Amino acid sequence: MHHVDTGTIAVRHRRLQRLENFIDVAYALLFVNFVLYLPSGEDMAWTKLEFGLLSLLLEHSEEVFRLFIAVGLTLVQWNLTHKLLGPVEQSNNAHTALVLLQQVVVCFYLYFAISDPKLVSISSTAGQSICLALSGFIGLAGWQYARKRGFANASLTRKEKDNVFKTATTEPIVALLTIGLAFIGPVVWSMGWLVIPLILVVIHKKIGKK
């Protein structure tokens, strides 16, 4: 660990706290933005439908399903960010830049997701996968940098630090694998986000037993 005075450590600790607060607010805004893409019912036309708002949602079930996937993936990225920041106790300029870059890439994912809610273009599905894969790998780079600089919790063993990296690789690997599925079709691509994680869990369990 690099030798630094207590004042510098305190500054880096406060920087990390502000960074975590910023990330939480940024993700909160992303979730609010997703809600805006639910079927509009402001014209009250849904009152004439048989089941009211439920009929409106069923009528746009495909878009709602896509939105559900998008919200789920964004939640996964939020969880990944905290998984990698949780064991970290300090942050400097370089580490902060990596975390913010990760967030910027997630915003580009949102751009692809909301610009083509019906997934009519391969570029949008592939773009979403690429962004989420890139975001995950940037997050892993941030964790490795923090660990190398001695920013990780000192109470963690080497094995526990290795496990942080290992458990955080699932998300970007899944995203990477779905890039190929984007060229097959939007349905296969969407199902890939649900099926591939299950397959990886089974593989990890078998490897763990061996």
CSV table of all heavy atoms in Angstrom, one decimal, residues 84-127:
chain,number,residue,atom,x,y,z
A,84,LEU,N,-18.8,-3.3,-6.7
A,84,LEU,CA,-17.4,-3.0,-6.9
A,84,LEU,C,-17.0,-1.8,-6.0
A,84,LEU,O,-15.8,-1.7,-5.7
A,84,LEU,CB,-17.1,-2.7,-8.3
A,84,LEU,CG,-17.3,-3.9,-9.3
A,84,LEU,CD1,-17.3,-3.4,-10.7
A,84,LEU,CD2,-16.2,-4.9,-9.0
A,85,LEU,N,-17.9,-1.0,-5.6
A,85,LEU,CA,-17.6,0.2,-4.7
A,85,LEU,C,-17.7,-0.1,-3.3
A,85,LEU,O,-17.0,0.5,-2.4
A,85,LEU,CB,-18.5,1.4,-5.1
A,85,LEU,CG,-18.2,2.2,-6.3
A,85,LEU,CD1,-19.2,3.3,-6.5
A,85,LEU,CD2,-16.8,2.7,-6.3
A,86,GLY,N,-18.5,-1.1,-2.9
A,86,GLY,CA,-18.7,-1.5,-1.5
A,86,GLY,C,-17.4,-1.8,-0.8
A,86,GLY,O,-17.2,-1.3,0.4
A,87,PRO,N,-16.5,-2.6,-1.3
A,87,PRO,CA,-15.3,-2.9,-0.6
A,87,PRO,C,-14.2,-1.8,-0.7
A,87,PRO,O,-13.1,-2.0,-0.1
A,87,PRO,CB,-14.7,-4.2,-1.4
A,87,PRO,CG,-15.9,-4.6,-2.2
A,87,PRO,CD,-16.6,-3.4,-2.6
A,88,VAL,N,-14.5,-0.7,-1.4
A,88,VAL,CA,-13.5,0.4,-1.5
A,88,VAL,C,-13.8,1.4,-0.4
A,88,VAL,O,-14.9,1.8,-0.2
A,88,VAL,CB,-13.7,1.0,-2.9
A,88,VAL,CG1,-12.7,2.2,-3.1
A,88,VAL,CG2,-13.4,0.0,-4.0
A,89,GLU,N,-12.7,1.9,0.1
A,89,GLU,CA,-12.8,2.9,1.2
A,89,GLU,C,-12.3,4.3,0.8
A,89,GLU,O,-12.5,5.3,1.5
A,89,GLU,CB,-12.0,2.4,2.4
A,89,GLU,CG,-12.6,1.2,3.1
A,89,GLU,CD,-12.0,0.8,4.4
A,89,GLU,OE1,-10.7,1.0,4.5
A,89,GLU,OE2,-12.7,0.3,5.3
A,90,GLN,N,-11.6,4.4,-0.3
A,90,GLN,CA,-11.0,5.6,-0.8
A,90,GLN,C,-11.1,5.8,-2.3
A,90,GLN,O,-11.3,4.8,-3.0
A,90,GLN,CB,-9.5,5.8,-0.4
A,90,GLN,CG,-9.2,5.6,1.1
A,90,GLN,CD,-7.7,5.6,1.3
A,90,GLN,OE1,-7.0,6.5,0.8
A,90,GLN,NE2,-7.2,4.6,2.0
A,91,SER,N,-11.0,7.0,-2.8
A,91,SER,CA,-11.1,7.2,-4.2
A,91,SER,C,-10.2,8.4,-4.6
A,91,SER,O,-10.2,9.4,-3.8
A,91,SER,CB,-12.5,7.4,-4.7
A,91,SER,OG,-12.5,7.6,-6.1
A,92,ASN,N,-9.4,8.3,-5.6
A,92,ASN,CA,-8.6,9.5,-6.1
A,92,ASN,C,-9.2,9.9,-7.5
A,92,ASN,O,-10.2,9.4,-8.0
A,92,ASN,CB,-7.2,9.1,-6.1
A,92,ASN,CG,-6.8,8.0,-7.1
A,92,ASN,OD1,-7.7,7.5,-7.8
A,92,ASN,ND2,-5.6,7.6,-7.2
A,93,ASN,N,-8.5,10.8,-8.1
A,93,ASN,CA,-8.9,11.3,-9.4
A,93,ASN,C,-9.1,10.2,-10.5
A,93,ASN,O,-10.1,10.1,-11.2
A,93,ASN,CB,-8.0,12.3,-10.0
A,93,ASN,CG,-8.0,13.6,-9.2
A,93,ASN,OD1,-9.0,13.9,-8.5
A,93,ASN,ND2,-6.9,14.4,-9.2
A,94,ALA,N,-8.1,9.3,-10.6
A,94,ALA,CA,-8.2,8.2,-11.6
A,94,ALA,C,-9.3,7.3,-11.3
A,94,ALA,O,-10.0,6.9,-12.2
A,94,ALA,CB,-6.8,7.5,-11.6
A,95,HIS,N,-9.5,6.9,-10.1
A,95,HIS,CA,-10.5,5.9,-9.7
A,95,HIS,C,-11.9,6.6,-10.0
A,95,HIS,O,-12.8,5.9,-10.5
A,95,HIS,CB,-10.4,5.5,-8.3
A,95,HIS,CG,-11.5,4.6,-7.8
A,95,HIS,ND1,-12.5,5.0,-7.0
A,95,HIS,CD2,-11.7,3.2,-8.1
A,95,HIS,CE1,-13.3,4.0,-6.8
A,95,HIS,NE2,-12.9,2.9,-7.4
A,96,THR,N,-12.0,7.8,-9.6
A,96,THR,CA,-13.3,8.5,-9.8
A,96,THR,C,-13.6,8.6,-11.3
A,96,THR,O,-14.8,8.4,-11.7
A,96,THR,CB,-13.2,9.9,-9.2
A,96,THR,OG1,-13.0,9.8,-7.8
A,96,THR,CG2,-14.5,10.7,-9.4
A,97,ALA,N,-12.6,8.9,-12.1
A,97,ALA,CA,-12.8,9.0,-13.5
A,97,ALA,C,-13.3,7.7,-14.1
A,97,ALA,O,-14.2,7.7,-15.0
A,97,ALA,CB,-11.5,9.4,-14.2
A,98,LEU,N,-12.8,6.6,-13.6
A,98,LEU,CA,-13.2,5.2,-14.1
A,98,LEU,C,-14.7,5.0,-13.7
A,98,LEU,O,-15.5,4.5,-14.6
A,98,LEU,CB,-12.3,4.1,-13.6
A,98,LEU,CG,-10.9,4.0,-14.2
A,98,LEU,CD1,-10.1,3.0,-13.4
A,98,LEU,CD2,-11.0,3.6,-15.6
A,99,VAL,N,-15.1,5.3,-12.5
A,99,VAL,CA,-16.4,5.1,-12.1
A,99,VAL,C,-17.4,6.0,-12.9
A,99,VAL,O,-18.5,5.5,-13.3
A,99,VAL,CB,-16.6,5.4,-10.6
A,99,VAL,CG1,-18.0,5.3,-10.1
A,99,VAL,CG2,-15.7,4.4,-9.8
A,100,LEU,N,-17.0,7.2,-13.1
A,100,LEU,CA,-17.9,8.1,-13.8
A,100,LEU,C,-18.0,7.7,-15.3
A,100,LEU,O,-19.0,7.8,-15.9
A,100,LEU,CB,-17.4,9.6,-13.7
A,100,LEU,CG,-17.5,10.2,-12.3
A,100,LEU,CD1,-16.9,11.6,-12.3
A,100,LEU,CD2,-18.9,10.2,-11.8
A,101,LEU,N,-16.9,7.2,-15.9
A,101,LEU,CA,-16.9,6.7,-17.2
A,101,LEU,C,-17.8,5.5,-17.4
A,101,LEU,O,-18.6,5.4,-18.4
A,101,LEU,CB,-15.5,6.3,-17.7
A,101,LEU,CG,-15.3,5.8,-19.1
A,101,LEU,CD1,-15.8,6.8,-20.1
A,101,LEU,CD2,-13.9,5.4,-19.4
A,102,GLN,N,-17.8,4.7,-16.4
A,102,GLN,CA,-18.7,3.6,-16.3
A,102,GLN,C,-20.2,4.1,-16.4
A,102,GLN,O,-21.0,3.5,-17.1
A,102,GLN,CB,-18.5,2.7,-15.1
A,102,GLN,CG,-19.4,1.5,-14.9
A,102,GLN,CD,-19.2,0.8,-13.6
A,102,GLN,OE1,-18.5,1.3,-12.7
A,102,GLN,NE2,-19.8,-0.3,-13.4
A,103,GLN,N,-20.5,5.1,-15.6
A,103,GLN,CA,-21.8,5.7,-15.6
A,103,GLN,C,-22.2,6.3,-16.9
A,103,GLN,O,-23.3,6.2,-17.4
A,103,GLN,CB,-21.9,6.7,-14.5
A,103,GLN,CG,-23.3,7.3,-14.3
A,103,GLN,CD,-24.3,6.3,-13.8
A,103,GLN,OE1,-23.9,5.4,-13.1
A,103,GLN,NE2,-25.5,6.4,-14.3
A,104,VAL,N,-21.2,7.0,-17.6
A,104,VAL,CA,-21.5,7.6,-18.9
A,104,VAL,C,-21.9,6.5,-19.9
A,104,VAL,O,-22.8,6.7,-20.7
A,104,VAL,CB,-20.3,8.4,-19.4
A,104,VAL,CG1,-20.4,8.7,-20.8
A,104,VAL,CG2,-20.1,9.6,-18.5
A,105,VAL,N,-21.2,5.4,-19.9
A,105,VAL,CA,-21.5,4.3,-20.8
A,105,VAL,C,-22.9,3.7,-20.6
A,105,VAL,O,-23.6,3.3,-21.5
A,105,VAL,CB,-20.4,3.2,-20.7
A,105,VAL,CG1,-20.7,2.0,-21.6
A,105,VAL,CG2,-19.0,3.7,-21.1
A,106,VAL,N,-23.3,3.6,-19.3
A,106,VAL,CA,-24.6,3.2,-19.0
A,106,VAL,C,-25.6,4.2,-19.6
A,106,VAL,O,-26.7,3.7,-20.0
A,106,VAL,CB,-24.8,3.1,-17.4
A,106,VAL,CG1,-26.3,2.8,-17.1
A,106,VAL,CG2,-24.0,2.0,-16.9
A,107,CYS,N,-25.3,5.4,-19.6
A,107,CYS,CA,-26.2,6.4,-20.2
A,107,CYS,C,-26.4,6.2,-21.7
A,107,CYS,O,-27.4,6.4,-22.3
A,107,CYS,CB,-25.7,7.8,-19.9
A,107,CYS,SG,-25.9,8.4,-18.2
A,108,PHE,N,-25.3,5.8,-22.3
A,108,PHE,CA,-25.3,5.5,-23.7
A,108,PHE,C,-26.2,4.2,-24.0
A,108,PHE,O,-26.9,4.1,-25.0
A,108,PHE,CB,-23.9,5.3,-24.3
A,108,PHE,CG,-23.3,6.5,-24.7
A,108,PHE,CD1,-22.3,7.1,-24.0
A,108,PHE,CD2,-23.6,7.2,-25.9
A,108,PHE,CE1,-21.6,8.3,-24.4
A,108,PHE,CE2,-23.0,8.3,-26.3
A,108,PHE,CZ,-22.0,8.9,-25.5
A,109,TYR,N,-26.2,3.3,-23.0
A,109,TYR,CA,-27.0,2.1,-23.1
A,109,TYR,C,-28.5,2.6,-23.1
A,109,TYR,O,-29.3,2.1,-23.8
A,109,TYR,CB,-26.8,1.2,-21.9
A,109,TYR,CG,-28.0,0.4,-21.5
A,109,TYR,CD1,-28.4,-0.7,-22.4
A,109,TYR,CD2,-28.7,0.7,-20.4
A,109,TYR,CE1,-29.6,-1.4,-22.0
A,109,TYR,CE2,-29.9,0.0,-20.1
A,109,TYR,CZ,-30.3,-1.1,-20.9
A,109,TYR,OH,-31.4,-1.8,-20.6
A,110,LEU,N,-28.8,3.6,-22.2
A,110,LEU,CA,-30.1,4.1,-22.1
A,110,LEU,C,-30.6,4.7,-23.4
A,110,LEU,O,-31.7,4.6,-23.8
A,110,LEU,CB,-30.2,5.1,-21.0
A,110,LEU,CG,-31.5,5.9,-20.8
A,110,LEU,CD1,-32.7,4.9,-20.4
A,110,LEU,CD2,-31.4,7.0,-19.7
A,111,TYR,N,-29.6,5.4,-24.0
A,111,TYR,CA,-29.9,6.1,-25.3
A,111,TYR,C,-30.4,5.0,-26.4
A,111,TYR,O,-31.4,5.2,-27.1
A,111,TYR,CB,-28.7,6.8,-25.8
A,111,TYR,CG,-28.8,7.3,-27.3
A,111,TYR,CD1,-29.5,8.4,-27.6
A,111,TYR,CD2,-28.1,6.6,-28.3
A,111,TYR,CE1,-29.6,8.9,-28.9
A,111,TYR,CE2,-28.2,7.0,-29.6
A,111,TYR,CZ,-29.0,8.2,-29.9
A,111,TYR,OH,-29.1,8.6,-31.2
A,112,PHE,N,-29.6,3.9,-26.5
A,112,PHE,CA,-30.0,2.9,-27.4
A,112,PHE,C,-31.4,2.2,-27.0
A,112,PHE,O,-32.2,1.9,-27.9
A,112,PHE,CB,-28.9,1.8,-27.4
A,112,PHE,CG,-27.7,2.1,-28.2
A,112,PHE,CD1,-26.5,2.4,-27.6
A,112,PHE,CD2,-27.8,2.2,-29.6
A,112,PHE,CE1,-25.4,2.7,-28.3
A,112,PHE,CE2,-26.6,2.5,-30.3
A,112,PHE,CZ,-25.4,2.8,-29.7
A,113,ALA,N,-31.6,2.1,-25.7
A,113,ALA,CA,-32.8,1.4,-25.2
A,113,ALA,C,-34.1,2.2,-25.5
A,113,ALA,O,-35.1,1.7,-26.0
A,113,ALA,CB,-32.7,1.1,-23.7
A,114,ILE,N,-34.0,3.5,-25.3
A,114,ILE,CA,-35.2,4.3,-25.4
A,114,ILE,C,-35.4,4.8,-26.9
A,114,ILE,O,-36.5,5.2,-27.2
A,114,ILE,CB,-35.2,5.6,-24.5
A,114,ILE,CG1,-34.1,6.5,-24.8
A,114,ILE,CG2,-35.1,5.1,-23.0
A,114,ILE,CD1,-34.0,7.7,-23.9
A,115,SER,N,-34.3,4.8,-27.7
A,115,SER,CA,-34.5,5.3,-29.0
A,115,SER,C,-35.1,4.3,-29.9
A,115,SER,O,-35.7,4.6,-31.0
A,115,SER,CB,-33.1,5.7,-29.6
A,115,SER,OG,-32.5,6.7,-28.9
A,116,ASP,N,-35.0,3.0,-29.5
A,116,ASP,CA,-35.6,1.9,-30.3
A,116,ASP,C,-36.3,0.9,-29.4
A,116,ASP,O,-35.9,-0.2,-29.2
A,116,ASP,CB,-34.5,1.2,-31.1
A,116,ASP,CG,-35.1,0.2,-32.1
A,116,ASP,OD1,-36.3,0.1,-32.3
A,116,ASP,OD2,-34.3,-0.7,-32.5
A,117,PRO,N,-37.4,1.4,-28.8
A,117,PRO,CA,-38.1,0.5,-27.8
A,117,PRO,C,-38.7,-0.8,-28.4
A,117,PRO,O,-38.8,-1.8,-27.7
A,117,PRO,CB,-39.3,1.4,-27.3
A,117,PRO,CG,-39.5,2.4,-28.4
A,117,PRO,CD,-38.1,2.6,-28.9
A,118,LYS,N,-38.9,-0.8,-29.7
A,118,LYS,CA,-39.5,-2.0,-30.3
A,118,LYS,C,-38.3,-2.9,-30.9
A,118,LYS,O,-38.6,-3.9,-31.5
A,118,LYS,CB,-40.4,-1.6,-31.5
A,118,LYS,CG,-41.7,-1.0,-30.9
A,118,LYS,CD,-42.7,-0.7,-32.0
A,118,LYS,CE,-44.0,-0.1,-31.5
A,118,LYS,NZ,-45.0,0.1,-32.6
A,119,LEU,N,-37.1,-2.4,-30.8
A,119,LEU,CA,-35.9,-3.2,-31.2
A,119,LEU,C,-36.0,-3.6,-32.7
A,119,LEU,O,-35.8,-4.7,-33.1
A,119,LEU,CB,-35.8,-4.5,-30.4
A,119,LEU,CG,-35.6,-4.3,-28.8
A,119,LEU,CD1,-35.5,-5.6,-28.1
A,119,LEU,CD2,-34.5,-3.3,-28.5
A,120,VAL,N,-36.3,-2.6,-33.5
A,120,VAL,CA,-36.4,-2.9,-35.0
A,120,VAL,C,-35.0,-2.9,-35.6
A,120,VAL,O,-34.9,-3.3,-36.8
A,120,VAL,CB,-37.3,-1.8,-35.6
A,120,VAL,CG1,-38.7,-1.9,-35.1
A,120,VAL,CG2,-36.7,-0.4,-35.5
A,121,SER,N,-34.0,-2.4,-35.0
A,121,SER,CA,-32.7,-2.3,-35.6
A,121,SER,C,-31.7,-3.1,-34.8
A,121,SER,O,-31.6,-3.1,-33.6
A,121,SER,CB,-32.2,-0.8,-35.6
A,121,SER,OG,-30.9,-0.8,-36.0
A,122,ILE,N,-30.8,-3.9,-35.5
A,122,ILE,CA,-29.8,-4.7,-34.9
A,122,ILE,C,-28.8,-3.7,-34.2
A,122,ILE,O,-28.3,-4.1,-33.1
A,122,ILE,CB,-29.0,-5.5,-35.9
A,122,ILE,CG1,-30.0,-6.6,-36.5
A,122,ILE,CG2,-27.8,-6.2,-35.3
A,122,ILE,CD1,-29.3,-7.4,-37.6
A,123,SER,N,-28.6,-2.5,-34.7
A,123,SER,CA,-27.6,-1.6,-34.1
A,123,SER,C,-28.0,-1.2,-32.7
A,123,SER,O,-27.2,-1.0,-31.8
A,123,SER,CB,-27.5,-0.4,-35.0
A,123,SER,OG,-28.7,0.3,-35.0
A,124,SER,N,-29.3,-1.2,-32.4
A,124,SER,CA,-29.8,-0.8,-31.1
A,124,SER,C,-29.6,-1.9,-30.1
A,124,SER,O,-29.2,-1.7,-28.9
A,124,SER,CB,-31.3,-0.4,-31.1
A,124,SER,OG,-32.1,-1.4,-31.5
A,125,THR,N,-29.9,-3.2,-30.5
A,125,THR,CA,-29.7,-4.3,-29.6
A,125,THR,C,-28.3,-4.6,-29.3
A,125,THR,O,-27.8,-4.8,-28.2
A,125,THR,CB,-30.4,-5.6,-30.1
A,125,THR,OG1,-30.1,-5.8,-31.5
A,125,THR,CG2,-31.9,-5.5,-30.0
A,126,ALA,N,-27.5,-4.6,-30.4
A,126,ALA,CA,-26.0,-4.8,-30.3
A,126,ALA,C,-25.4,-3.6,-29.5
A,126,ALA,O,-24.5,-3.9,-28.7
A,126,ALA,CB,-25.4,-4.9,-31.7
A,127,GLY,N,-25.9,-2.4,-29.7
A,127,GLY,CA,-25.4,-1.3,-29.0
A,127,GLY,C,-25.6,-1.4,-27.5
A,127,GLY,O,-24.8,-1.0,-26.7
